[in-house]
Amino acid sequence: MRGQCFQRLAQPEKALMDYDKCLSLDAINPEALNNRGALKLIAGDAWGAIEDLNEAIVISPSSSILLANRAKARLKALQYDAAIEDYNLALEMDTDNDRLLYERAMAWYELQNYERAVEDLTWAIKACAGEDANYYYRRALVLHHLGQYERALADYNRTVKLDVQHREAYYNRAGVRKALQDDEGACADYQKAEAMGLDAKYFASLQGICRE
């Protein structure tokens, strides 16, 4: 399909034109609907993506890929409950998909169901054999928010072990260390995040953490 070629070549306008033409000739084409929906989502049109994916799912209701993509679009559209419904269905067919688990965790977080977010992030970490720094980082943020500082610290430690350039992890670990009364460690992390070029707006809450 030529639209896919343009998509891969980062020419979204031409790709969209090709998908529009394809669908004008063959409206029952879930692949074209899915791909056009993906382009719309990238362009920031989450609702347009949802419309295309709704049509695609009517044609192929048992496709975990279509359900997962609509879940992502619904997440972008702030339809968190609806996104979770789609993630649930997709995960019934693709149980150990760490990316779907991670994205569902983000929906749970937005709904302030932090325990479910931690549960999904833990499952995602197991599914990817603990190789994704961002999963640890996101779980650390939730645990940090819950005031579970020791567990959050352990996850920030894992994050920077996997990704030594993770500026936000050093910054947030400084906050946890401060809460745990480790001022020396907090100062070291603060300085490291600052040296890595993290935007100064992040540092207001930690001003004065390093004693002269």
Side-chain angles (χ1 to χ4, degrees), residues 26-40:
D26 177 13
I28 308 176
N29 188 326
E31 183 181 3
L33 287 163
N34 178 55
N35 291 336
R36 189 174 69 177
L39 282 171
K40 288 180 179 179

Side-chain angles (χ1 to χ4, degrees), residues 41-209:
L41 187 59
I42 291 169
D45 182 9
W47 291 102
I50 290 168
E51 288 178 6
D52 277 349
L53 288 160
N54 283 343
E55 290 185 42
I57 289 167
V58 169
I59 301 163
S60 299
S62 61
S63 169
S64 63
I65 293 172
L66 295 177
L67 288 164
N69 288 343
R70 187 174 67 179
K72 185 180 295 186
R74 284 174 160 175
L75 191 60
K76 290 286 186 181
L78 311 184
Q79 291 187 309
Y80 301 122
D81 287 310
I84 286 170
E85 289 178 10
D86 278 346
Y87 283 125
N88 290 345
L89 291 170
L91 282 161
E92 286 179 8
M93 294 176 264
D94 193 1
T95 310
D96 294 320
N97 188 313
D98 58 286
R99 190 66 199 176
L100 297 183
L101 290 162
Y102 169 78
E103 291 173 6
R104 188 173 67 178
M106 296 304 96
W108 286 125
Y109 183 84
E110 294 297 338
L111 290 171
Q112 299 183 19
N113 192 329
Y114 304 119
E115 289 76 14
R116 294 296 296 271
V118 169
E119 181 181 316
D120 271 353
L121 287 164
T122 300
W123 195 359
I125 288 167
K126 290 178 180 177
C128 76
E131 295 298 323
D132 193 306
N134 197 47
Y135 295 173
Y136 283 114
Y137 175 66
R138 290 294 174 179
R139 189 173 67 177
L141 289 177
V142 182
L143 294 168
H144 192 163
H145 179 82
L146 290 171
Q148 298 183 31
Y149 299 126
E150 294 287 356
R151 292 181 67 194
L153 178 61
D155 275 353
Y156 287 133
N157 290 344
R158 293 186 184 101
T159 302
V160 298
K161 183 176 181 180
L162 289 167
D163 181 3
V164 296
Q165 300 299 319
H166 203 303
R167 300 175 299 182
E168 292 82 1
Y170 289 113
Y171 164 76
N172 284 292
R173 190 172 69 174
V176 163
R177 284 179 159 170
K178 180 67 175 176
L180 292 170
Q181 301 183 331
D182 176 12
D183 290 349
E184 183 177 349
C187 177
D189 279 344
Y190 176 94
Q191 291 175 332
K192 185 168 287 189
E194 190 173 34
M196 287 180 172
L198 191 65
D199 194 308
K201 68 182 180 182
Y202 287 97
F203 295 108
S205 63
L206 295 176
Q207 287 294 336
I209 199 171

